[in-house]
Amino acid sequence: MQNENQLAEAAAERQAALKGFANELLTAAETLEPVAPLRGRLEGMDVDDAYVVQTLQLEKHLADGRVLAGRKVGLTSLAMQRQLGVDSPDFGFFFEDMVHNEGARLAAGAFVSPKVEPEFGFVLKEALQGPGVTVEQARAAIGEVYAAIEIIDSRIADWDIKLVDTVADNASCGAIAVGTTPLPVSVEDLTTVACTLRINGEARESGTGEAVMGDPVAPLAWLANVLGEQGVALEAGQLVLPGSFTKALPVVAGESATADFGDLGSLTINFI
């Protein structure tokens, strides 16, 4: 009985610590005062713990009336995995009030330390419920493909993050920009599509869809299956960003960022 009580107390203490991390990150998002890395602050903290922290924040936002617009998958390219020193993808969420369009003027000071990533934006025409979703089933669920830019941001001080830190911090999601006109491309051809990330019009990074887990639809299937294990479905009409073509680049006030898909179109946003 004593051991059972000790285990229950330890579990309660752990849950309280995770809730405390969630509250720290919620406060940091409001004050723009970043927090110390979470890894090492709770013995044995793992990715499952980090997703508990993320989910607690999601539940708080939803309770406050924010409307879920979609999900993002991160760390899907070798460039981003190398940049952050990890070897697996992660995912986060974003709300309708975080989604912007072509020509948006975003206050750089509304973020802690923003960076930009060029991506596809998938709008689903039908729901995806895992587990067991295949890449082909995910491909069939995509309605339109848009140019997109994710503004990533870290509520962890100095971008000093490992996987548990970024997962807990909503996969470092800051905001989303998405085009208003679908790219004229078949979902079967996404691996060969090229995209250049331009800062103030200058080409800085480039890649093809193949850089996104070999096939940018693969992260969508992965996400559907991971969420499905939690009893959560991706719904028709939701926007999903499957990951970056390139490594992320920092931006400051006075700069523009463009996801340039060549003849297919582009998306530009401005930081003020």
Side-chain angles (χ1 to χ4, degrees):
M1 181 64 72
Q2 185 177 2
N3 286 340
E4 290 181 2
N5 289 338
Q6 289 173 337
L7 289 173
E9 289 176 3
E13 289 175 0
R14 191 172 193 85
Q15 188 66 23
L18 297 177
K19 186 174 182 179
F21 290 158
N23 289 335
E24 283 188 41
L25 290 167
L26 287 165
T27 299
E30 292 181 0
T31 65
L32 302 183
E33 294 290 336
V35 303
L38 305 184
R39 66 183 188 278
R41 293 171 59 189
L42 178 64
E43 184 177 358
M45 184 173 178
D46 59 18
V47 173
D48 289 340
D49 292 324
Y51 276 118
V52 170
V53 176
Q54 184 189 124
T55 300
L56 287 169
Q57 294 170 81
L58 173 61
E59 291 172 348
K60 176 63 167 62
H61 288 304
L62 292 174
D64 288 343
R66 297 181 77 181
V67 179
L68 187 69
R71 305 270 185 169
K72 54 84 46 112
V73 184
L75 309 180
T76 53
S77 69
L78 185 59
M80 283 305 301
Q81 290 182 3
R82 284 175 174 168
Q83 188 173 358
L84 295 184
V86 300
D87 60 3
S88 63
D90 66 355
F91 69 88
F93 55 82
F94 53 89
F95 300 103
E96 288 184 353
D97 57 17
M98 296 169 64
V99 179
H100 306 273
N101 296 119
E102 168 69 37
R105 293 167 59 82
L106 304 178
F111 304 93
V112 177
S113 181
K115 300 180 182 184
V116 290
E117 300 176 339
E119 306 199 21
F120 287 124
F122 298 150
V123 174
L124 302 183
K125 64 182 178 181
E126 57 188 58
L128 281 174
Q129 173 74 66
V133 172
T134 67
V135 171
E136 288 311 310
Q137 288 171 330
R139 201 182 316 277
I142 297 172
E144 296 87 28
V145 180
Y146 292 86
I149 294 173
E150 182 182 1
I151 301 93
I152 60 171
D153 196 24
S154 183
R155 277 65 59 172
I156 306 295
D158 302 320
W159 279 100
D160 181 9
I161 57 176
K162 295 297 184 184
L163 186 58
V164 295
D165 301 298
T166 186
V167 166
D169 188 26
N170 191 26
S172 302
C173 189
I176 304 295
V178 62
T180 54
T181 302
L183 297 175
V185 62
S186 168
V187 291
E188 284 77 22
D189 298 330
L190 297 181
T191 58
T192 61
V193 172
C195 183
T196 298
L197 174 58
R198 299 182 182 274
I199 303 297
N200 285 347
E202 177 187 351
R204 297 281 299 277
E205 296 286 337
S206 61
T208 67
E210 189 176 14
V212 187
M213 280 178 64
D215 181 343
V217 181
L220 176 60
W222 174 85
L223 177 63
N225 288 326
V226 172
L227 289 175
E229 291 173 357
Q230 303 172 14
V232 177
L234 291 169
E235 303 293 347
Q238 286 187 331
L239 174 66
V240 177
L241 271 63
S244 180
F245 284 75
T246 70
K247 70 178 184 181
L249 293 180
V251 286
V252 297
E255 291 184 327
S256 65
T258 300
D260 184 355
F261 289 85
D263 292 342
L264 296 178
S266 65
L267 169 70
T268 298
I269 57 176
N270 306 286
F271 292 86
I272 60 175

